[in-house]
Amino acid sequence: MISRVTAPLGRSLARIGLTPNIVTIIGAAGVVVSALYFYPRGQLYAGSVVITVFALFDMLDGAVARAKDSASAFGAFLDSSLDRVADAAILAGLMWWFVGEGDDPLLAGLTLFCLISGFMVSYIKARAEGLGVNCDVGVAERTERLIIILVAVGLSELGVPYILAGGLWLLAGMSLITVLQRLVETRARLNDSERSRDEETDKADNDA
Ligand SMILES: CCCCCCCC/C=C\CCCCCCCC(=O)OC[C@H](COP(=O)(O)OP(=O)(O)OC[C@H]1O[C@@H](n2ccc(N)nc2=O)[C@H](O)[C@@H]1O)OC(=O)CCCCCCC/C=C\CCCCCCCC
Ligand SMILES: O=P([O-])([O-])O[C@@H]1[C@@H](O)[C@H](O)[C@@H](O)[C@H](O)[C@@H]1O
Ligand SMILES: [Mg+2]
């Protein structure tokens, strides 16, 4: 569905000579620089809007790769790795804003919790994939996490009461639930594959 928008954009970017990796780097670098809107500039609404524009490049790098038929394993690796840099920049920018102008140590700490739990969500999936297990589950995958934080931060400067604290508590809770969901899923899948390996060994022993 969303590919109806991203596929033609991907073809246009490919036509002007951009490679998927360049699009990945532009998107991540754009998010990192835009996080300066949060800290030190303290412009939460403008920051959320500009970060959103660059975050959307994450959909376009894959679209360019598909348009050029040049998807690569290194591209996938770079895409995921730079996602972490972008996520860290957004939440670190917000955390520093709470430490300074926002003057709220509790929410600064909660933002740090969101950063760490978000990283855990991604790390558990990557580690599970390294063990041969697909772990694509969870109520707060990256897109959901970005939407929650960017909408909450953007609306807070428009004066919607409690939206920022509410968004952070929601993000923290959903990230924690996702960590637990992915741990449970990975454990179940590893147990399944161990069991089928044991069954195959038993069968081979019996046949011998
Ligand atoms: C009034 C309120 C004020 C507040 C203002 C703020 C508003 C904020 C509102 C919402 C925020 C929304 C932000 C959401 C950003 C979401 C971006 C995102 O998460 O996208 C992620 C995924 C794509 O993931 P992934 O990177 O895994 O897939 P790819 O398609 O890239 O494919 C990966 C494969 O591609 C290959 N490859 C990749 C890179 C590379 N260098 N080489 C390669 O070879 C390789 O094989 C890889 O394996 O996106 C989704 O999941 C889709 C759903 C996202 C929906 C988000 C909501 C969208 C909102 C608007 C849509 C408008 C679209 C217009 C686009 C314009 C862009 C400028
Ligand atoms: O694991 P998570 O943060 O929810 O989700 C993310 C995926 O949405 C993304 O496609 C991938 O490139 C990231 O590395 C990460 O895995
Ligand atoms: Mg991408």
Side-chain angles (χ1 to χ4, degrees):
M1 177 65 190
I2 194 91
S3 64
R4 284 201 193 168
V5 181
T6 56
L9 275 171
R11 282 194 293 274
S12 307
L13 294 177
R15 226 173 286 126
I16 64 170
L18 291 181
T19 66
N21 290 351
I22 293 289
V23 177
T24 303
I25 291 167
I26 292 173
V31 170
V32 170
V33 173
S34 310
L36 297 172
Y37 274 97
F38 291 168
Y39 184 86
R41 298 180 70 163
Q43 295 175 311
L44 300 188
Y45 177 75
S48 301
V49 172
V50 181
I51 286 172
T52 297
V53 171
F54 283 107
L56 289 170
F57 276 64
D58 191 22
M59 302 191 302
L60 298 180
D61 51 5
V64 173
R66 286 181 286 275
K68 290 171 95 98
D69 206 10
S70 66
S72 68
F74 177 74
F77 168 80
L78 185 72
D79 187 350
S80 298
S81 303
L82 292 188
D83 282 353
R84 306 288 81 77
V85 176
D87 294 351
I90 296 169
L91 290 166
L94 185 62
M95 188 183 79
W96 279 114
W97 179 78
F98 280 124
V99 169
E101 196 184 326
D103 193 22
D104 195 326
L106 175 65
L107 292 187
L110 189 59
T111 308
L112 181 61
F113 178 86
C114 290
L115 199 166
I116 295 168
S117 53
F119 267 53
M120 282 302 296
V121 167
S122 312
Y123 179 77
I124 292 168
K125 180 164 116 182
R127 188 71 182 95
E129 284 170 352
L131 293 168
V133 165
N134 185 351
C135 183
D136 238 343
V137 297
V139 290
E141 300 202 323
R142 184 167 184 260
T143 302
E144 290 80 18
R145 298 198 302 276
L146 281 175
I147 290 174
I148 292 170
I149 195 66
L150 292 171
V151 169
V153 174
L155 289 180
S156 73
E157 208 180 67
L158 299 183
V160 178
Y162 304 115
I163 188 88
L164 189 47
L168 279 167
W169 282 109
L170 179 68
L171 179 60
M174 286 177 63
S175 300
L176 189 58
I177 290 170
T178 307
V179 165
L180 297 175
Q181 286 176 298
R182 289 190 174 184
L183 286 175
V184 169
E185 175 77 9
T186 304
R187 185 168 187 267
R189 289 196 177 226
L190 286 173
N191 283 343
D192 281 352
S193 52
E194 227 157 75
R195 206 171 304 123
S196 47
R197 248 199 326 270
D198 286 349
E199 280 167 10
E200 270 167 34
T201 315
D202 287 349
K203 190 169 176 297
D205 286 349
N206 289 338
D207 289 350

